[in-house]
Amino acid sequence: MATAAAASASEAEAEPKAGPEAEGEQDEAKAARARRKVLSRAVAPATYKTMGPEWDQQEEGVSESDGDEEYAMASSAESSPGEYEWGYDEEEKNQLEIERLEEQLSINVYDYNCHVDLIRLLRLEGELTKVRMARQKMSEIFPLTEELWLEWLHDEISMAMDGLDREHVYDLFERAVKDYICPNIWLEYGQYSVGGIGQKGGLEKVRSVFERALSSVGLHMTKGLAIWEAYREFESAIVEAARLEKVHSLFRRQLAIPLYDMEATFAEYEEWSEDPIPESVIQSYNKALQQLEKYKPYEEALLQAEAPRLAEYQAYIDFEMKIGDPARIQLIFERALVENCLVPDLWIRYSQYLDRQLKVKDLVLSAHSRAVRNCPWTVALWSRYLLALERHGVEHRVISVTFEKALSAGFIQATDYVEIWQAYLDYLRRRVDFKQDSSKELEELRSAFARALEYLKQEVEERFSESGDPSCLIMQNWARIEARLCNNMQKARELWDSIMTRGNAKFANMWLEYYNLERAHGDTQHCRKALHRAVQCTSDYPEHVCEVLLTMERTEGTLEDWDIAVQKTETRLARVNEQRIKAAEKEAALAQQEEEKVEQRKRARAEKKALKKKKKTRGADKHRADEDDEKEWGDDEEEQPSKRRRVENSVPPAGEAEPGSEADLSGSSAPAATEPPLELKEVRGGARRRDVPKVPHDSSKDGVTVFVSNLPYGLGEPAATLRPLFEACGDVVEVRPIFSNRGDFRGYCYVEFREEAAALQALQLDRQSVEGRPMFVSPCVDKSKNPDFKVFRYSTALEKHKLFVSGLPFSCTKEELEEICKAHGTVKDIRLVTNRAGKPKGLAYVEYENESQASQAVLKMDGMTIRENVIKVAISNPPQRKVPEKPEARKAPGSALLPRQVYGARGKGRTQLSLLPRALQRPSAAQAENGPATPATTEAPKMSNADFAKLLLRK
C-alpha cells in the first residue's frame, strides 16, 4: 500500500505539466501533490520494514533523480495524452468511490468493510486529515485489528516531529493495547518509548511500558519471549551501577515462567552470569519445565489447527479453569478472543468469569465494553454491560449513554429490544427512593416507561411488523410499580385498560393477573368489576374465570351479588357449550365428508381397475385362434387374483405373450421363440432386465447398505452408471436397481458395500446430480420397524448466521449468487433449493461465517433486484412442520370414535372438556355394567345426514 501511495504521488507530480493551459487544475494538483508527499513520507518507514534495505536504495535512487524523472514523465504526458486521461480517470474514480463509501457509512455506521475500504482509499489519495478522522470514527465503533493499529501507529510515528506529537503517539498506543492482546503492539510500544528516554521521566516511562507489557503478555508461551528479551536488552544497554541486578532479576523472573525455548534462556543466563546460578532459581526453572510439559499438548493443538480454532481454545480454557490461576485464565481468554472476537458466547463466558471471580472494575468494564463493540447485535452482552456499570457505581450519565448506544446497535429480533428496555427500566427503578412522594428519579422512570412503549410501537413495530411485546410485559411492570410502590391504583388501572385493548382481553391469565393486583392493592368493587368483564370477554378458559368470581362472591359478596354472579356465569357457560357443540357438529360433518370422499376414491379406483382388466381380457380373447388355448387362458384367469402380481425382475414363461404387450396387441401370431426386433429393445429398455432374477432384500445388511432414490427413470444402465460414483467411497459389493413388472426402472436402487465406513461415506453423495436430477442417498432402514425415521440434513431451528433468500430467478446459478453475497462477508455455503426433478424453485440458503455478516447482508440485500426479480432476504427460521393427523383420528362416528371420546373430538384440548355431544358419548347398558365394550367385528350400518342430525339433537 505504501508503494502504491508513492507511485500515485509521482504520477500526480507529472500530471499538471501535461496541460499548461489549465492553471486552476495545476494549482489544485500542486496542493494534492504536497499532501501526498507528506503521507508518502509517513508510509515510507512502514514500507521499509516490509521491503528491507533494497526498497530504501530504490527510493534513494528515485529521490536523487527526481527532477529528471519528473521532466521525463511530463514529456511523456505531453506526447501521449491518453496516459494523462487514464491517471485522471483513476483519481476521479477513487474520489467517487470515497463519496460512495462516506454516504454508505452515513446510512449504516456499523458497516465494518466500508470503514476499512474508506481508510485504504483516503490513505492512497494522501488525504491526511480525512484518514485520521476515518480511523478515529472506526475505532470509536469497532475495536481495530493488530494490522490496522500497526498501520496507523507507523503513519503517526513517521510524522511525529516534537514532544506533543510523541504524546499523541503514546495515547494511540494506550488505545491500541486495550482492544486486543497483541504482543507485537506491546513490542512496538516498548521500542518507541526507548526513543524518548532523553526526555524528562523517559527512563521511568520505558520501564513502566515494559512492566505492563510483561503483565499483559509475559505469560504468552509462544510470543511472550520477545518481550522479555527486549526488556533485558534495554536494561543491559543502560550504564548504571544497579543494572546488573536488574538484569539478574529479569532472568530469574523469566525462568520461573513456562515459556517455549526456556532451555536457551537458561543457557544464556549461565553464560552471562559471572556467579553460579542460585539453587532457588534452578528449582523454579525445573518446576516451570514440568508445567511446560502440561501445557504443550494444548499449545501444539493450537499450532496444528486452523483459525479460528474455537474448539481448541475452549479445551485450553477448561484446562486453565481447573488449575485456577487468574492471570493465565485471563490470558487464554484474551488469546481466544483475538481469533474469535465475533463469538458472543465466548464474550459472555469471559465477562461472567470476571464479574464473579476477579471483580476488578477496570478489567470488568473493559471486557464488557469490548464485547459490545465486537458483537453489537447481541442483546445479552448489552444487558450484562448495563448491570456491570451499575454494579461498579458508574455515573448515571454514562449508563444512559451506553443504553442509547444499545438501541442503535441493530438487534436481529423485536424481542431483543424488549429485553434491553427491561434491563434499563429495572436499573432506573432501583435508583428511585419510593419513600418520597415525588422525586426526579421517579419522574425519569415514568418518562422512560412512556418512551419505551412509544419506541416499541413506532420504531420496532415498523421494522419487524411486531412490537416484540404481545403480552405487554413492560406495561404490566409499570402497573405493578405504580400500584405497589407508588400507591397509585388509578394509574395502574389506566395501564391495565390499555393492556386489555391490545388484544389481551380474551386471555384468562391476563384478567387474573389484573384481579390479583386489585385484590392486593385495590378494593372489592374493582375486583368484582374486573371479574365480571373477564367472564364476558375470556374465550380460552372461561370456566376458570367463572370459578374465581363465584369463589369471591361466596366469601365476600351479598345474596344479590351471588345471584348476579350465578346468572352471568351460567349464561356465559351455556353460550360457550353451545359454541362447542356447533364446533363438534361441524367437525363431525367434515370427518364424514372426508370419509365419503375416501370411499368415493376407493370405488373409482376399483372401477378403473376392473375396466382395465376387462379391456385386457377382451383384447386377449379377440386374438385367440384356438378354443383350447382360450379355455386354458380362462382357467389361468380363474386361478389368478384380480390383479396379476409378479415379483420384481420376473420373466413370463416362454411362448406366452404378456397381456397388454405390443406382441399381444399387434394381432399377429408370431412364434413365441422369435426374438423381438432391435427397435423394440430400444423403446422398451426394461425388457432386457426380465432375465434378472429377483434378489430378496437382506435386512441384516442394512448397516452396509444405502438406499438411493429420485434417479432418472430413463437411466439406461443404472448399475453401470452408479457403480463408479459409489466406488469412490469404498468397495461396492452390489448395485441392485429395482424394476417394475414390465421391466421398467423404478428410479431407486440399493447399494451394498463391503464395510460400514464406506456406507457412511456414501451418504455424503446425497443431492449429487445424476443426468440433471438430484440423487437422494439415505441409510437403509426398515420403516415398518421404524415408522418415524426420517432423514433431513438441514436444521429447522433459528440460525442467525444463515439467510433465507426467496424470489430468485430460476436461471440464477450458485456461482452468481455467491458473487453477490460474498461482498457482505465470508460465505461458507450456498444451497439452491430444487424440486425432485432438479429444477430450481427460486429459493436459496446462504450460510455466513458469523451472525454479524449475516445481519449486514440482510440489511443490504433485502429488496435487491436480480434480473428484474426483487428478492427477499431474511434470517433463516423455518416454520414448524405440522404433524399429520393419524388415520385413526379421521373415522366416522360410531365405535371407531370410542378411543377419542375421553378427550373430545379435537383430542386432548386445553380445557380437558369433551366437545362431542352427550348423545354420542352415552355408553350402552352392557358397557356401563361390564366396562368398556369390545368393538364389534361387523361393520356398523351407514347413516344418512338426516339420521346423523337426529342422533346429535337427541336429548
Side-chain angles (χ1 to χ4, degrees), residues 589-655:
L590 291 175
Q592 186 177 6
Q593 292 177 6
E594 186 67 23
E595 186 68 23
E596 290 176 355
K597 291 180 181 179
V598 172
E599 292 296 331
Q600 290 177 1
R601 287 194 293 267
K602 287 182 179 180
R603 287 194 298 268
R605 284 197 298 267
E607 292 174 358
K608 187 175 180 181
K609 290 179 181 178
L611 182 60
K612 187 176 180 181
K613 177 182 174 183
K614 188 176 181 180
K615 288 182 178 180
K616 288 183 178 180
T617 306
R618 288 180 179 178
D621 293 342
K622 181 178 180 181
H623 300 293
R624 286 286 181 254
D626 194 354
E627 293 182 357
D628 295 334
D629 294 340
E630 184 179 354
K631 182 177 181 181
E632 291 177 3
W633 179 262
D635 294 339
D636 290 341
E637 284 292 308
E638 292 177 0
E639 294 174 0
Q640 296 295 332
S642 61
K643 180 178 180 180
R644 295 177 60 88
R645 299 183 179 274
R646 286 189 187 164
V647 296
E648 294 172 354
N649 307 336
S650 63
V651 182

Side-chain angles (χ1 to χ4, degrees), residues 61 186 253 421 470 494 608-609 626 629 669 779 812 832 846 886 953:
W186 276 112
R253 288 167 59 188
W421 269 111
E494 293 176 1
K608 187 175 180 181
K609 290 179 181 178
D626 194 354
D629 294 340
S669 57
C812 182
L832 294 177
V846 181
K886 294 184 178 180
L953 298 176

